[in-house]
Amino acid sequence: MTQNTPTDRDSAQLEALGYDSNFDRSMSMWQNFALGFTYLSPVVGVYTVFAFAISTGGPPMFWSYLFVGLGQLLVAIVFGEIVSQFPIAGGLYPWARRLVGKRWAWMAGWVYLWALFSTIAAVAVGGSPYLAQLLGIHVGQGGEVAIAVTMIAVTTALNVSGTKLLARVAMFGFVCELLGAIVVGSYLLLFARHQTFSVLFQSFGLGNGNYLPAFLASSVAAMFCYYGFEACGDVAEETPNASTAIPKAMRMTIYIGGFAAMLVCLALVLAIPDLNAAISGKDADPVSTTLRAAVGPVGLRVVIAIVMVSFISCLISLEAATSRLLYSYGRDRMIFGGEWLSTLSQRTRVPVNALLIAGTVPALIAIAGLFLEKMIQTIIVFGSAGIYVAFQMIVLAALVARARGWRPSGAFRLGVWAWPVNIAALAYGVTAIVNMVWPRTPTDPWYRNYGMIVGTTAVFGAGLIYALLFEPYDRVDAPEGDAHLAHLDAASR
């Protein structure tokens, strides 16, 4: 039977990959892009870690947004080639399964899952002070955590309403965030600039004569801003013409998201009234200080309202991506309670049970943050490091599959550039991971210097123990490690 509509072709492609889907395939390419953009959320990324970045690397840390963006673009291109052939819900986990095998997929999905949990918690905790300012209340660390948990609960409730609402909220969040970034950034640059562009090339004594270590340390902030494009693939079974639309949406996320992040960062750097106070840490919240000086208390609240739209839409997108990973894990019975996690609501056609877990675990992580000395920084760096590790497990898996003879057969293919781009993406990713976990302050307690290494090792160790004890990858005979066989199957037909 000939497939005459895009939906028919999508269903046929998914069936050929060994799956059927009951998702509502109603998310357009632009809405899919908006999901990735709001997950990446340049405004959330810059505002959340700006104080850390400026105090660690000074104004030149701005350039890290360019370098990190180029590196992550390589990763996004590799992901685009993979998802074009394997447009399956859950993203990283099913990609790893088809490229290498079930055991590699188990570990990649496990690491990515805990990194997502941590990122949701980090975004919620990072947004809570802004919501407190908007409401005109003063809270301590306990109050910030309470607000963060409330934000997670509200966004989880919105997520269970279905794919159409998710797509509309993502699109609304994208429009508000991009317009807000352009309007606020342009205003600061044109009417509230206190610094000259030359400060972007001045070290301000950071690094004690060797600025490179300070620059590398501050670049972790940019790394927090440049993932999210993989969320486009997490909802592949909800996007028509996924093989063509999603690779394009991933690249657009980097292009447009990177532009917005760099504009916001540049505007804030040049509009800081007292740059020395921000660099020294005397001004603990240079974002609010800068905005208040530029637009006054009323204007500040308007900007914060726009920023809160970004935080809320970012949380919704993050939880959606996490729930689809849990759903995909559950569908292949790769985790305890798989059948429960892979159940779709009859009314909304979304994995409600998986969404509940995607909200509950991050809320618990946020509460646990009460016991961390630098709560937001610790959660952010762990989440970023975990996501980068999971990303590079996929980039490496693609190289392994190519060495076995994989010839991508999706609508988006790199052709002769496949090997160079893939190798460059791996080199960038490994370097970024080393940079994130590198211990930099010998005088600090061990858990501040080695916490990320210990945390990542603990996640790997727990996943390995779970896999050895329960062998979840042997519960369902789903396809695995067959990427390199696709062209042989096509030739035989």
Side-chain angles (χ1 to χ4, degrees):
M1 181 178 177
T2 301
Q3 286 81 34
N4 295 317
T5 68
T7 301
D8 290 335
R9 290 192 292 270
D10 290 330
S11 298
Q13 183 183 19
L14 196 60
E15 184 178 351
L17 293 171
Y19 295 99
D20 57 6
S21 178
N22 293 314
F23 278 107
D24 181 10
R25 201 179 282 271
S26 60
M27 182 175 288
S28 70
M29 190 278 291
W30 277 100
Q31 290 171 332
N32 182 275
F33 151 72
L35 177 73
F37 181 94
T38 52
Y39 176 158
L40 177 149
S41 193
V43 168
V44 168
V46 173
Y47 279 44
T48 300
V49 292
F50 183 79
F52 163 77
I54 195 69
S55 63
T56 304
M61 63 83 182
F62 163 77
W63 299 109
S64 67
Y65 284 84
L66 175 62
F67 300 139
V68 172
L70 293 174
Q72 284 294 77
L73 177 60
L74 296 173
V75 177
I77 291 172
V78 173
F79 281 14
E81 190 174 40
I82 300 169
V83 72
S84 187
Q85 183 171 339
F86 301 108
I88 305 171
L92 269 65
Y93 155 68
W95 301 344
R97 187 179 187 106
R98 305 311 281 263
L99 291 170
V100 175
K102 56 190 178 184
R103 290 175 176 82
W104 189 260
W106 155 257
M107 191 57 71
W110 178 261
V111 173
Y112 184 49
L113 178 62
W114 283 99
L116 283 172
F117 285 152
S118 299
T119 302
I120 293 170
V123 170
V125 171
S128 58
Y130 293 104
L131 183 55
Q133 284 189 63
L134 183 63
L135 298 176
I137 59 177
H138 299 281
V139 295
Q141 188 171 344
E144 290 180 359
V145 169
I147 293 174
V149 171
T150 302
M151 290 170 62
I152 292 172
V154 170
T155 51
T156 302
L158 290 173
N159 245 316
V160 301
S161 299
T163 300
K164 289 183 179 179
L165 180 64
L166 168 64
R168 289 168 182 164
V169 170
M171 199 69 191
F172 176 74
F174 158 65
V175 171
C176 288
E177 182 161 0
L178 184 60
L179 287 177
I182 292 174
V183 171
V184 174
S186 299
Y187 178 85
L188 292 179
L189 287 173
L190 293 174
F191 305 108
R193 186 155 56 89
H194 289 271
Q195 314 298 330
T196 65
F197 284 93
S198 63
V199 300
L200 300 176
F201 303 94
Q202 298 174 21
S203 67
F204 289 86
L206 294 167
N208 297 319
N210 182 9
Y211 177 70
L212 181 60
F215 179 77
L216 292 176
S218 68
S219 68
V220 173
M223 292 174 189
F224 183 61
C225 290
Y226 277 104
Y227 50 81
F229 53 86
E230 79 281 4
C232 301
D234 288 327
V235 293
E237 293 177 29
E238 298 160 75
T239 306
N241 196 20
S243 288
T244 300
I246 293 177
K248 183 177 181 181
M250 285 180 170
R251 298 192 303 275
M252 288 171 58
T253 298
I254 296 291
Y255 300 149
I256 301 177
F259 161 76
M262 292 184 70
L263 176 62
V264 171
C265 182
L266 177 66
L268 286 173
V269 168
L270 298 185
I272 294 176
D274 189 344
L275 189 54
N276 289 323
I279 293 173
S280 67
K282 183 179 179 181
D283 182 356
D285 187 6
V287 173
S288 295
T289 301
T290 301
L291 292 175
R292 187 178 291 106
V295 297
V298 176
L300 175 62
R301 301 193 85 167
V302 172
V303 173
I304 290 177
I306 297 172
V307 169
M308 286 312 305
V309 172
S310 301
F311 273 97
I312 295 298
S313 57
C314 179
L315 283 172
I316 289 174
S317 299
L318 279 165
E319 290 173 11
T322 306
S323 68
R324 272 51 170 189
L325 171 61
L326 283 166
Y327 166 86
S328 185
Y329 240 41
R331 181 166 61 179
D332 287 348
R333 302 298 184 264
M334 293 283 277
I335 196 168
F336 176 77
E339 183 177 357
W340 183 76
L341 289 170
S342 60
T343 299
L344 295 183
S345 165
Q346 292 295 319
R347 183 176 63 86
T348 62
R349 317 307 301 171
V350 295
V352 172
N353 298 330
L355 280 164
L356 293 176
I357 299 298
T360 301
V361 176
L364 294 175
I365 292 174
I367 293 171
L370 284 169
F371 304 98
L372 300 176
E373 186 175 342
K374 289 193 174 182
M375 176 173 59
I376 185 63
Q377 289 182 22
T378 304
I379 298 175
I380 283 174
V381 177
F382 176 75
S384 301
I387 285 182
Y388 266 67
V389 169
F391 276 21
Q392 292 314 302
M393 291 182 74
I394 303 303
V395 174
L396 179 58
L399 279 177
V400 171
R402 294 187 205 280
R404 290 177 177 175
W406 175 45
R407 299 177 188 173
S409 58
F412 175 72
R413 283 168 280 184
L414 292 173
V416 297
W417 291 101
W419 276 95
V421 170
N422 206 153
I423 291 171
L426 182 65
Y428 159 75
V430 171
T431 303
I433 292 168
V434 171
N435 180 42
M436 278 190 278
V437 303
W438 194 269
R440 290 187 165 92
T441 49
T443 58
D444 282 356
W446 70 269
Y447 54 84
R448 290 272 298 280
N449 274 303
Y450 300 98
M452 298 309 101
I453 297 176
V454 172
T456 304
T457 303
V459 169
F460 265 99
L464 184 61
I465 292 171
Y466 188 112
L468 291 174
L469 289 178
F470 301 103
E471 297 183 340
Y473 38 73
D474 285 333
R475 292 176 185 166
V476 173
D477 188 24
E480 59 158 331
D482 59 347
H484 64 289
L485 302 176
H487 69 281
L488 298 177
D489 292 341
S492 65
R493 292 195 296 269

